[in-house]
Amino acid sequence: MNSDLMMSTKIAITYEKGGCGKTTTAVNLSAMLADKGYKTLLVDLDFQSYATSYYGLFDDNNPGIYEVMKSEKNPKDCILKTKIENLFLLPSKHELRNIETVLMMKTKRQEYTLQMALKEIEADYDFIIFDCPPSGERIKENALTCCDYVILPCIPDDYALHGLLCIAKEIVEIKQFTNPNLKIMGILICMMEQTKSKKAYADALKTQDIFPCFETVIRKNTTLQEAINAHVPVHRYDKRSNGAKDYMALTEEIIKIVKEGK
Ligand SMILES: Nc1ncnc2c1ncn2[C@@H]1O[C@H](COP(=O)(O)OP(=O)(O)O)[C@@H](O)[C@H]1O
Ligand SMILES: [Mg+2]
């Protein structure tokens, strides 16, 4: 672990919807934290395995988070090294789509499955970042139960406030029943464009009083898409791109929040 943080910080990246920047945020944030010297574990909780593929590590035969959550494997035997120093990955595979059924069959404390499965290794990392799937109630419940913080990436549009209200209800329940210490780090406005309507929706997101909102806004930027094919985080692909600048600013903002213990 890096010495300037007292303990490991677990962050879930989740939202009610697909295509809003969750995986893009998870893969870039985790790599930028790693490049700053923090030992970071990226946990891919989506059976579509985009975060795993991002770093070129998808292999359906590899054991990963699915086997770990089923208690069939020790996480230490599944965690993969990436090409980035300090960045490690607990991979996903297609079979992970069965996790909802596995969790449903548990008669006791299914919400704590992920937390218990990772307990032994969490102290080995400064940051553990969870890339959540768009659907799957139980897996998301597990991620929110296990984490210290949650980040909510969303696109400034007609759906955004509605989606946040849905997630607010879920977070209230998690805080009430399984994780009273869960903190909402912030709404992250993603794919921002300078149109009148986007600005109006972004203002509405910034001024609502349900959740805090990050100061950093992630602009729409095609470099973020290009970096996927190169299997590198955006700052290593083109550090002068808006995508790199925005995610670097977000990383700084997150480190500050964690250090201040907000
Ligand atoms: N700021 C952005 N600018 C342009 N494209 C983006 C941006 N963020 C994400 N994308 C693209 O949008 C698509 C969906 O993003 P992704 O992060 O996979 O969303 P999610 O994980 O929420 O489903 C991907 O093709 C991704 O490359
Ligand atoms: Mg995703």
Side-chain angles (χ1 to χ4, degrees):
M1 273 177 75
N2 185 301
S3 55
D4 78 342
L5 293 178
M6 302 294 279
M7 49 199 268
S8 106
T9 301
K10 289 164 283 169
I11 306 174
I13 301 181
T14 190
Y15 192 59
E16 292 297 284
K17 203 174 147 195
C20 53
K22 291 186 296 296
T23 301
T24 305
T25 301
V27 296
N28 286 298
L29 169 65
S30 53
M32 290 176 188
L33 288 168
D35 262 352
K36 285 188 171 290
Y38 296 110
K39 195 174 169 194
T40 303
L41 177 67
L42 173 61
V43 181
D44 189 351
L45 293 179
D46 189 349
F47 75 84
Q48 294 189 80
S49 312
Y50 291 137
T52 303
S53 306
Y54 193 101
Y55 287 115
L57 292 169
F58 180 76
D59 182 343
D60 235 356
N61 298 313
N62 275 348
I65 189 65
Y66 184 59
E67 288 76 6
V68 169
M69 284 186 78
K70 288 209 301 176
S71 306
E72 289 174 5
K73 287 276 180 193
N74 185 314
K76 283 186 179 155
D77 299 327
C78 304
I79 291 171
L80 303 171
K81 269 188 175 169
T82 69
K83 281 185 193 147
I84 295 157
E85 199 185 341
N86 291 323
L87 178 63
F88 298 83
L89 177 91
L90 188 47
S92 166
K93 55 159 74 169
H94 292 138
E95 234 184 319
L96 185 65
R97 69 181 176 279
N98 300 326
I99 197 70
E100 286 298 303
T101 318
V102 171
L103 292 170
M104 196 174 70
M105 305 276 273
K106 289 191 106 174
T107 50
K108 270 188 186 168
R109 294 184 257 284
Q110 67 82 18
E111 304 94 324
Y112 299 94
T113 307
L114 183 62
Q115 186 179 65
M116 294 315 292
L118 299 182
K119 202 143 208 85
E120 202 185 312
I121 55 122
E122 71 173 65
D124 298 343
Y125 298 90
D126 293 300
F127 285 96
I128 305 184
I129 309 292
F130 296 87
D131 182 26
C132 293
S135 60
E137 287 315 308
R138 289 180 182 82
I139 186 98
K140 284 199 269 185
E141 213 170 86
N142 266 268
L144 292 174
T145 297
C146 158
C147 278
D148 305 296
Y149 292 98
V150 55
I151 296 175
L152 305 166
C154 64
I155 301 174
D157 62 14
D158 211 17
Y159 180 85
L161 282 172
H162 171 76
L164 287 172
L165 286 175
C166 293
I167 223 159
K169 223 174 127 218
E170 199 179 317
I171 290 175
V172 166
E173 282 183 15
I174 295 281
K175 281 175 75 86
Q176 203 173 354
F177 296 110
T178 60
N179 186 4
N181 298 323
L182 178 66
K183 297 188 226 31
I184 297 143
M185 204 178 248
I187 294 171
L188 176 64
I189 297 172
C190 286
M191 298 191 218
M192 183 59 186
E193 291 170 276
Q194 290 306 312
T195 65
K196 219 171 153 187
S197 108
K198 291 278 172 194
K199 281 188 202 163
Y201 284 117
D203 281 346
L205 286 171
K206 282 182 178 168
T207 50
Q208 51 71 41
D209 53 8
I210 314 170
F211 295 130
C213 189
F214 283 104
E215 264 172 49
T216 307
V217 168
I218 310 295
R219 287 167 284 184
K220 190 167 187 173
N221 181 235
T222 49
T223 311
L224 287 162
Q225 291 160 6
E226 289 165 24
I228 301 175
N229 303 323
H231 302 290
V232 290
V234 67
H235 69 301
R236 289 202 180 186
Y237 183 77
D238 178 358
K239 71 172 196 284
R240 276 178 294 195
S241 63
N242 285 342
K245 285 180 192 158
D246 294 346
Y247 275 111
M248 286 302 287
L250 177 71
T251 305
E252 296 290 350
E253 203 179 338
I254 288 172
I255 292 170
K256 192 162 171 265
I257 293 171
V258 170
K259 282 190 179 167
E260 285 171 1
K262 271 190 198 163

